[in-house]
Amino acid sequence: MALARKVRDINKRLVGVSVRNQREGLLEITRLIAEVDDKRGPEVLKACEKEGIIARLVLLTRDYLPDAAAEVYYINLCLSSLTNLAFFGAVPAILRVQGLQVVLDCVRKVPTGPAQSYSVTLLQNLLMESSAVALVDVEEVLELLDELTRSQDATVAKHASTALVNLRAHAEHRARVDAAVDKILETKRRLVEQGLLVRAEREDKEERAAIAIQKVMRGYIARQ
């Protein structure tokens, strides 16, 4: 009961008109969620759902993104809270309030630091739900995650790899995912072939130019 009351009090600041109060509330809810143990996780999740805090966190994240460089600290707080809530079972609730698109936007627009780690971890968790896969452009997400698997940040690379596995784990979407993979591979194959052709043509031109120069130089030397 005390936990629910605390969440309710924090939410009053989160929904207030004062930016300062909102940010203080955001910091408080982030700390509260982070400090809750696994046993009380479902309790804090229930309180957050009742007060609309999950929707509020998604909305705040979206509002901070246009100025991501300046607001990255608060984006981190939002993503941290959502990631921890997802661990307690908030994935369906996050999807209901259009959180998936916001998380994808974070992956694209905040490409380094803790925010990227949180957003990729959260994306991995969201893609465990079949309904999430139905909401995304599979080809776009595949290319994004494939790039992230080569991240220098080992945590990001690991969670991106797991997210790829989750994307294909749902039998009802597997054909769609495999078709997107085939399309990406075919595109890459064509690009490689085009690159090799351009390189061969360039090398051929350079060779012809070198031969022409040699002929000119031989003629010049013969005239000396």
Side-chain angles (χ1 to χ4, degrees):
M1 194 62 132
L3 183 58
R5 185 165 53 248
K6 187 176 290 187
V7 170
R8 185 166 58 251
D9 290 342
I10 293 172
N11 190 49
K12 290 176 182 177
R13 286 191 282 282
L14 278 176
V15 299
V17 295
S18 167
V19 173
R20 179 178 177 179
N21 284 346
Q22 286 178 5
R23 294 186 172 186
E24 288 177 354
L26 180 55
L27 181 58
E28 287 185 55
I29 198 66
T30 302
R31 285 174 175 167
L32 176 65
I33 295 169
E35 291 169 1
V36 168
D37 58 29
D38 293 355
K39 187 177 179 179
R40 301 196 72 186
E43 184 182 352
V44 76
L45 172 58
K46 183 179 179 180
C48 285
E49 286 190 290
K50 182 179 178 181
E51 297 298 328
I53 283 179
I54 294 173
R56 187 62 179 164
L57 289 169
V58 169
L59 179 62
L60 286 172
T61 307
R62 189 190 69 190
D63 289 346
Y64 292 138
L65 273 175
D67 196 13
E71 303 289 6
V72 68
Y73 174 72
Y74 297 101
I75 293 173
N76 286 341
L77 295 181
C78 291
L79 292 173
S80 170
S81 295
L82 288 169
T83 301
N84 286 328
L85 287 171
F87 177 77
F88 295 136
V91 168
I94 295 171
L95 292 174
R96 282 196 299 271
V97 294
Q98 289 77 53
L100 177 57
Q101 188 56 54
V102 173
V103 173
L104 284 169
D105 288 342
C106 285
V107 175
R108 298 185 193 97
K109 296 179 182 180
V110 193
T112 57
Q116 186 185 59
S117 182
Y118 284 132
S119 57
V120 175
T121 303
L122 185 51
L123 180 58
Q124 166 200 301
N125 292 332
L126 294 177
L127 290 176
M128 291 176 69
E129 287 284 327
S130 174
S131 59
V133 181
L135 296 172
V136 299
D137 180 327
V138 171
E139 187 177 341
E140 181 182 350
V141 173
L142 278 169
E143 290 182 325
L144 180 63
L145 290 172
D146 177 58
E147 182 179 347
L148 289 170
T149 61
R150 295 185 289 277
S151 170
Q152 293 184 346
D153 185 321
T155 300
V156 169
K158 176 185 175 182
H159 288 303
S161 296
T162 306
L164 282 171
V165 172
N166 291 344
L167 190 64
R168 194 178 180 276
H170 310 286
E172 62 270 41
H173 298 299
R174 195 164 297 147
R176 180 168 159 243
V177 173
D178 288 349
V181 170
D182 290 343
K183 184 177 179 182
I184 291 169
L185 290 176
E186 175 61 22
T187 300
K188 288 186 176 182
R189 184 187 66 78
R190 286 201 306 270
L191 289 173
V192 169
E193 290 176 348
Q194 289 171 7
L196 291 173
L197 179 61
V198 169
R199 179 178 176 182
E201 289 175 347
R202 183 174 64 246
E203 289 176 348
D204 183 55
K205 287 179 181 178
E206 290 173 351
E207 184 178 356
R208 290 201 303 270
I211 290 172
I213 290 172
Q214 288 174 1
K215 289 180 178 178
V216 170
M217 290 305 296
R218 282 200 299 270
Y220 175 77
I221 291 170
R223 289 195 298 272
Q224 297 299 309

